[in-house]
């Protein structure tokens, strides 16, 4: 049962990653642009989705990793972290 919940969490992250990527492309195509925070968060969605696809790490870790990625993206995009921000951006 827990494995099914993990796969559901992973599928949700993949859906959100695809949605964010598509949304970013739509904003760029219409000439609007988007914030650094949205770009960083989109990158994090993809990293989480791909990491859990290619490794055998329990997918239930997605449940705590997604909120951490959200908060970290806010800090990187808005406040900036001296060492991490240049690497991500």
């Amino acid at each position: 049962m827990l494995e099914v919940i993990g796969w559901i969490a992973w599928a949700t992250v993949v859906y959100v990653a695809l949605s964010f990527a598509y949304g970013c492309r739509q904003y760029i195509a219409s000439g609007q642009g988007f914030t650094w925070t949205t770009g960083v968060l989109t990158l994090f969605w993809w990293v989480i989705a791909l990491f859990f696809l290619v490794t055998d790490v329990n997918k239930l870790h997605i449940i705590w990793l997604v909120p951490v990625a959200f908060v970290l993206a806010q800090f990187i995009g808005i406040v900036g972290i001296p060492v991490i921000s240049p690497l991500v951006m």
Side-chain angles (χ1 to χ4, degrees):
M1 181 64 178
L2 291 178
E3 187 173 336
V4 172
I5 294 171
W7 279 105
I8 291 171
W10 180 81
T12 303
V13 167
V14 169
Y15 175 75
V16 171
L18 289 170
S19 298
F20 268 58
Y22 181 74
C24 289
R25 288 184 51 86
Q26 291 297 341
Y27 276 113
I28 292 297
S30 67
Q32 294 178 347
F34 53 89
T35 64
W36 277 107
T37 303
T38 304
V40 171
L41 190 56
T42 303
L43 173 69
F44 285 166
W45 291 127
W46 280 102
V47 168
I48 291 169
L50 292 175
F51 175 79
F52 283 97
L53 179 64
V54 299
T55 64
D56 291 333
V57 177
N58 191 339
K59 288 175 181 46
L60 288 176
H61 288 292
I62 292 173
I63 295 170
W64 67 266
L65 193 57
V66 165
V68 169
F70 180 77
V71 171
L72 188 60
Q74 300 298 314
F75 279 116
I76 291 174
I78 296 172
V79 177
I81 299 173
V83 176
I84 298 174
S85 296
L87 293 174
V88 173
M89 293 185 190

